Amino acid sequence: GWTSAARGTPAAPAARSAIMPTSDTATRRHGDAAIRFERTTDYDLVGATLTHPQLYPRMGDDATPPASEFIVNRHPDIWWVLAYDAGELAGLIPLFPENHICWDLHLALLPHTWGSVAHRVGREFIPWLWARTPCRRLVAHVPAWNKKVLGFLPRYMGMTRYGVNETSFLLGGILQDRIDFGISKPKEIQWTSN
């Protein structure tokens, strides 16, 4: 769920695939602003982004360690995707494969992007994902308290709510529901490793 990125552990390890590229960069255009996505293994940058003081408290549950104890999970099947707006880091999109084709989405967009830049990142990411990865189904499991993300996923990423995982998230000693979202790759889009 939305806590695994903060803990640095994937929801479930996926089998490593020889066809999964080790790095990937693409640029999309929206108006005059370029959004660039890039898979990274710069774990120092991943860790610094996830432990940003305005992001880290929002990503965890009662079992999340302090930011000073966070260790980035380096499992090779995890996709740590950086998002750049006009050359400036906008944030990180961690992707945890549940299996080879169904991946769990997390968002760690930096505070300076909240608003129109984050909206562009959301709109541009899904086409990039379908074109650049073997993922065919993207899911997200959002704590019910996180109203901004609950609105962001359908509005800017086209994800559809498909369920509720009741009392599956513990925060502040209070059990909360997680809302399940998903989107499937259209059949006409083919994946390329370029």
Side-chain angles (χ1 to χ4, degrees):
W2 283 79
T3 61
S4 57
R7 273 194 285 231
T9 58
R16 178 123 173 98
S17 169
I19 64 169
M20 197 177 286
T22 57
S23 65
D24 194 18
T25 304
T27 301
R28 299 280 181 206
R29 288 219 164 267
H30 180 77
D32 294 329
I35 300 294
R36 182 170 56 93
F37 300 101
E38 176 182 303
R39 187 179 187 191
T40 188
T41 56
D42 182 342
Y43 300 116
D44 290 335
L45 181 57
V46 169
T49 304
L50 290 175
T51 59
H52 185 285
Q54 288 182 272
L55 298 182
Y56 194 73
R58 299 170 188 252
M59 287 193 277
D61 61 9
D62 284 356
T64 302
S68 61
E69 296 176 17
F70 175 77
I71 299 171
V72 174
N73 187 322
R74 296 177 182 213
H75 193 284
D77 288 344
I78 297 171
W79 279 56
W80 299 106
V81 179
L82 299 172
Y84 291 93
D85 174 47
E88 182 178 6
L89 182 63
L92 178 69
I93 304 171
L95 300 166
F96 296 91
E98 293 182 354
N99 58 51
H100 183 66
I101 59 131
C102 183
W103 294 8
D104 185 17
L105 167 77
H106 299 256
L107 293 171
L109 300 178
L110 294 169
H112 73 273
T113 70
W114 296 348
S116 65
V117 173
H119 301 164
R120 289 197 321 273
V121 169
R123 283 192 297 265
E124 296 296 337
F125 180 71
I126 297 297
W128 180 88
L129 177 76
W130 298 151
R132 304 290 180 190
T133 76
C135 179
R136 294 184 186 169
R137 175 79 175 164
L138 186 66
V139 297
H141 313 287
V142 185
W145 65 263
N146 198 335
K147 304 297 184 202
K148 288 187 179 187
V149 173
L150 292 174
F152 184 88
L153 294 179
R155 183 169 184 187
Y156 297 106
M157 299 187 85
M159 298 182 85
T160 302
R161 178 180 165 162
Y162 68 87
V164 176
N165 191 348
E166 296 178 0
T167 63
S168 61
F169 191 82
L170 185 65
L171 185 63
I174 300 169
L175 283 171
Q176 300 181 34
D177 296 344
R178 287 185 302 159
I179 312 304
D180 299 325
F181 288 86
I183 187 170
S184 294
K185 179 178 181 177
K187 290 184 171 119
E188 68 275 0
I189 298 175
Q190 299 298 314
W191 173 60
T192 62
S193 61
N194 308 6

